């Protein structure tokens, strides 16, 4: 996993160099970074970087969740995309490696937000065609 991250970082560095070369923008200007045009924010490189940053934040949220469900959800709600019960339910349903024990503890909480997450979570699961013991 560390090798994959290192490889991605190298790829990003190469893409930045290529992007700077194609725009004719030097990396530094008198020791200070030059500002990039707003179109650079929509470049494939910047979109890739944002996606990688988001994945790292979600991995951090998952790790925190596995240690303490409440702290993980609190962290998730602080980062973009974790504001609503539906956002949190989607995170709980789609994030690999979450502790089933922490998941059960959180969904069993009796506070208003946890109950809204539980409602959204159960609505996202398709129980059609399952027998009662499988569901």
């Amino acid at each position: 996993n560390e090798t994959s991250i290192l490889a991605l970082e190298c790829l990003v560095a190469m893409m930045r160099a290529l992007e700077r070369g194609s725009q004719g923008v030097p990396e530094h200007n008198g020791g200070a970074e030059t500002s990039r045009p707003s179109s650079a924010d929509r470049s494939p490189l910047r979109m890739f970087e944002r996606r990688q940053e988001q994945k790292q934040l979600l991995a951090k949220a998952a790790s925190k969740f596995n240690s303490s469900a409440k702290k993980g959800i609190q962290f998730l709600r602080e980062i973009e995309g974790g504001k609503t019960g539906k956002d949190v339910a989607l995170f709980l349903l789609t994030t690999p490696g979450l502790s089933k024990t922490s998941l059960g503890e959180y969904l069993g909480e009796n506070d208003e937000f946890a109950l809204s997450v539980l409602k959204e979570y159960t609505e996202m699961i398709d129980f059609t065609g399952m027998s009662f013991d499988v569901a």
Side-chain angles (χ1 to χ4, degrees), residues 10-71:
C10 289
L11 179 61
V12 168
M14 290 186 331
M15 291 175 71
R16 281 186 184 139
L18 289 170
E19 184 177 38
R20 279 191 304 274
S22 69
Q23 293 176 349
V25 177
E27 182 176 350
H28 296 281
N29 185 6
E33 290 257 345
T34 58
S35 60
R36 292 188 177 186
S38 62
S39 63
D41 289 337
R42 294 184 303 269
S43 72
L45 171 62
R46 186 61 193 135
M47 290 176 3
F48 173 78
E49 288 175 327
R50 273 187 251 148
R51 199 173 358 213
Q52 288 305 111
E53 290 166 4
Q54 186 177 23
K55 283 182 180 182
Q56 289 174 345
L57 286 172
L58 290 175
K60 187 174 181 180
S63 177
K64 286 180 179 280
F65 181 84
N66 287 340
S67 297
S68 166
K70 284 187 177 186
K71 288 181 182 179

Side-chain angles (χ1 to χ4, degrees), residues 104-133:
E105 287 174 4
Y106 183 74
L107 292 177
E109 290 285 324
N110 198 22
D111 69 71
E112 188 177 329
F113 187 75
L115 291 171
S116 73
V117 172
L118 175 61
K119 178 183 178 292
E120 294 290 343
Y121 184 86
T122 55
E123 287 179 1
M124 289 179 182
I125 300 172
D126 183 12
F127 293 106
T128 56
M130 292 183 167
S131 63
F132 183 73
D133 64 332

Side-chain angles (χ1 to χ4, degrees), residues 71-96:
K71 288 181 182 179
I73 297 301
Q74 179 183 1
F75 178 77
L76 182 66
R77 292 185 74 192
E78 290 171 3
I79 63 176
E80 186 177 344
K83 306 291 186 206
T84 68
K86 189 171 187 172
D87 293 330
V88 173
L90 186 61
F91 168 80
L92 295 176
L93 193 61
T94 61
T95 303

